[in-house]
Amino acid sequence: MTDRQALIQPDRGQQATALHLVDKATLADFLKGLNAGQRAALSAQKFEGGGYEHAIVPDGDSWFAVAGVANVNDLSSWCMAKLADVLPGGTYRRAGGEPGKALHGWITGQYRFDRYRKDAKDAEPRILLTKDVALIEPAIAEATAVLMVRDLVNTPAEDMGPLQLEAEARALAKCHHAEVHVVSGDALEHDYPMVHAVGRAAARSHAPRLIEMTWGDAKHPRVAIVGKGVCFDSGGLDIKPSSGMALMKKDMGGAAHALALAGLIMTMGLKVRLHVLVPAVENAISGNAFRPGDILRSRAGLSVEITNTDAEGRLVLGDALTRATEMKPELVIDFATLTGAARVALGPDLPAMFARQSPTATQLLEAGRQLDDPCWQLPLHEGYREYLKSDVADLQNSPANGFAGASVAALFLDRFVGEGIDWVHFDTFAWRPVGKPGRPKGGDALGLRAAWGLLKARYG
């Protein structure tokens, strides 16, 4: 894997290949500055200035590249991402301007997941120069967080089980002098009974656990980040069909987001007291698997009737959110690949976002727009709480009517978050079924940069 720190470097006038960005409005004037041979080269490559189009243009004994963007005066994170993927290795600078936000896509566009490929080779890096040196560190930090999510989600469940998630948390903590505490075994069964119940059917090598990490000055505002860590989801006794199980290595995508966001917070030295919680389990099938009809107790003291063992993510999150709110945080953010209903409503690109407080939701939506990481708010509609009623317990985990599935799941989680706490829930997909420039097919961070934008605005 290419050293991400080396992909963006300060522009000190060193030799570099020029990258000319044009849009439909500026293409004609750009062509006037070229000689006949250069214009012919662009024509031969059918370059018309459209988004993500690019061409190589001879320039004496050298060459430069031309790329089309939507607006040369307002670059997105992805405007230069394809160039970072297709150009030859070397050093580049944008002619007549700075990359700005496009630094992000320049790094993420060079991502490859080749851990299991025998023929994997390190590609020669494409280095981009910028005079906006203050943007380099945050751009690298944000991209590193995104690529951490990709690596964790893309790794198959056999190599990314609860134990491996714990190892990732410990490695992250070691880098930033954070503390890690892990609860497992009998203590997990007693203190986090729903986490234990969901994970107890797994093999000993994939035994369930609750991973806690803390960092920062205790005098700073406490922020809790919670991530669903279902490392593989068979559906339990309500077993999924094979088509529904195919991508379930990504069901720990919430945990990947939580750990990556924690790494970003610590790297950038945000002035918060950070509390990270990952309930890490495998929802497996064996003789001791939890069953439909079981009534589970929870850390919060609420009893939960199990109506569907494939609605397990909300169970493990319930115990983790209870623990998070016991510490009286100022803000709680959780990430989870929680419901198919969110994907039916919003598709793969938009994480569903739920927020108790309207100002927080507004800040998140704006941060997502600014950072090219859009999310969409769905309602915590009070009228749907009745769907969670049970005849035999305090609540049920999965209503049979199928209505408003993402909102009802969020309302379930809401029961485990202390009153008055500013809480945000992301129901994210953590996966791209179709690749785009800077965003290849596979695991991806969706909602992470929006959450970071909120945190940076509040605590930066």
Side-chain angles (χ1 to χ4, degrees):
M1 178 62 71
T2 300
D3 180 9
R4 293 154 193 164
Q5 299 287 333
L7 297 179
I8 308 294
Q9 295 184 12
D11 189 344
R12 300 188 176 96
Q14 59 268 56
Q15 185 174 355
T17 300
L19 302 176
H20 294 268
L21 303 185
V22 300
D23 54 29
K24 295 285 189 178
T26 59
L27 177 60
D29 284 342
F30 176 75
L31 292 175
K32 292 176 183 177
L34 304 182
N35 61 41
Q38 291 172 331
R39 289 194 294 271
L42 283 175
S43 178
Q45 295 172 74
K46 299 182 179 180
F47 181 82
E48 297 179 347
Y52 301 128
E53 290 183 9
H54 78 284
I56 302 298
V57 181
D59 187 20
D61 294 333
S62 187
W63 59 275
F64 59 85
V66 184
V69 298
N71 185 343
V72 293
N73 297 314
D74 186 19
L75 300 187
S76 77
S77 297
W78 317 115
C79 281
M80 299 177 70
K82 186 173 182 180
L83 294 175
D85 183 32
V86 300
L87 290 177
T91 300
Y92 297 88
R93 70 162 53 84
R94 180 188 174 189
E98 293 298 321
K101 290 166 64 176
L103 291 172
H104 181 79
W106 188 268
I107 301 173
T108 61
Q110 298 185 58
Y111 174 81
R112 302 287 184 276
F113 184 73
D114 51 16
R115 173 175 173 177
Y116 297 93
R117 297 184 65 90
K118 185 178 179 180
D119 59 351
K121 297 179 181 178
D122 286 338
E124 186 179 354
R126 293 87 168 175
I127 299 166
L128 185 61
L129 306 179
T130 179
K131 293 179 180 178
D132 290 334
V133 293
L135 298 181
I136 295 176
E137 182 184 9
I140 292 172
E142 287 182 34
T144 297
V146 168
L147 301 190
M148 180 180 183
V149 173
R150 293 181 185 178
D151 281 342
L152 295 181
V153 173
N154 285 331
T155 302
E158 182 63 18
D159 295 330
M160 191 50 65
L163 179 62
Q164 287 79 15
L165 269 184
E166 178 186 331
E168 293 289 339
R170 291 190 182 279
L172 190 64
K174 185 176 181 180
C175 286
H176 298 283
H177 308 290
E179 296 181 359
V180 173
H181 176 64
V182 177
V183 181
S184 59
D186 292 343
L188 185 74
E189 183 176 7
H190 182 270
D191 294 339
Y192 301 92
M194 292 199 295
V195 178
H196 175 267
V198 171
R200 71 191 185 198
R204 290 181 65 184
S205 60
H206 284 59
R209 64 206 67 206
L210 189 284
I211 305 164
E212 272 189 291
M213 180 166 60
T214 54
W215 172 88
D217 191 332
K219 297 177 182 178
H220 290 157
R222 179 177 286 270
V223 173
I225 310 294
V226 183
K228 172 188 168 184
V230 178
C231 297
F232 189 81
D233 182 17
S234 68
L237 293 177
D238 287 311
I239 190 170
K240 293 178 183 288
S242 58
S243 59
M245 220 182 294
L247 286 181
M248 283 301 100
K249 69 176 183 179
K250 77 171 186 64
D251 213 21
M252 41 60 69
H257 280 70
L259 291 174
L261 180 56
L264 180 53
I265 290 168
M266 293 186 289
T267 296
M268 298 307 295
L270 217 59
K271 294 186 182 300
V272 298
R273 176 61 171 170
L274 180 64
H275 187 194
V276 182
L277 296 110
V278 172
V281 301
E282 179 178 343
N283 187 19
I285 301 172
S286 71
N288 68 334
F290 76 120
R291 314 164 189 82
D294 283 355
I295 297 177
L296 304 183
R297 64 182 182 90
S298 67
R299 182 178 179 88
L302 295 169
S303 59
V304 180
E305 179 190 6
I306 303 305
T307 50
N308 187 343
T309 64
D310 196 21
E312 83 299 329
R314 65 198 69 180
L315 300 174
V316 300
L317 282 173
D319 274 353
L321 286 167
T322 299
R323 169 60 180 164
T325 58
E326 287 169 356
M327 306 305 291
K328 307 300 182 185
E330 185 175 286
L331 174 67
V332 178
I333 303 176
D334 81 69
F335 295 88
T337 51
L338 204 63
T339 68
R343 306 285 65 80
V344 171
L346 301 176
D349 292 351
L350 288 172
M353 180 269 289
F354 300 83
R356 279 180 170 177
Q357 298 186 10
S358 294
T360 299
T362 300
Q363 284 182 296
L364 273 169
L365 293 171
E366 180 58 26
R369 282 191 288 268
Q370 291 293 328
L371 294 170
D372 302 310
D373 186 23
C375 50
W376 199 271
Q377 186 178 10
L378 293 184
L380 288 165
H381 178 54
E382 288 295 322
Y384 295 154
R385 287 191 188 274
E386 64 182 32
Y387 296 166
L388 294 170
K389 290 181 179 178
S390 165
D391 294 333
V392 293
D394 293 320
L395 66 166
Q396 60 173 304
N397 76 321
S398 181
N401 62 28
F403 295 146
S407 288
V408 173
L411 288 166
F412 181 93
L413 298 181
D414 181 73
R415 292 290 301 273
F416 297 90
V417 179
E419 291 185 10
I421 291 176
D422 192 2
W423 167 61
V424 175
H425 162 57
F426 281 98
D427 190 338
T428 187
F429 195 40
W431 190 265
R432 291 196 181 272
V434 177
K436 300 177 182 179
R439 297 149 288 176
K441 179 180 178 180
D444 207 0
L446 297 163
L448 184 150
R449 296 179 75 206
W452 167 241
L454 168 71
L455 293 169
K456 186 169 56 172
R458 284 197 183 182
Y459 307 111

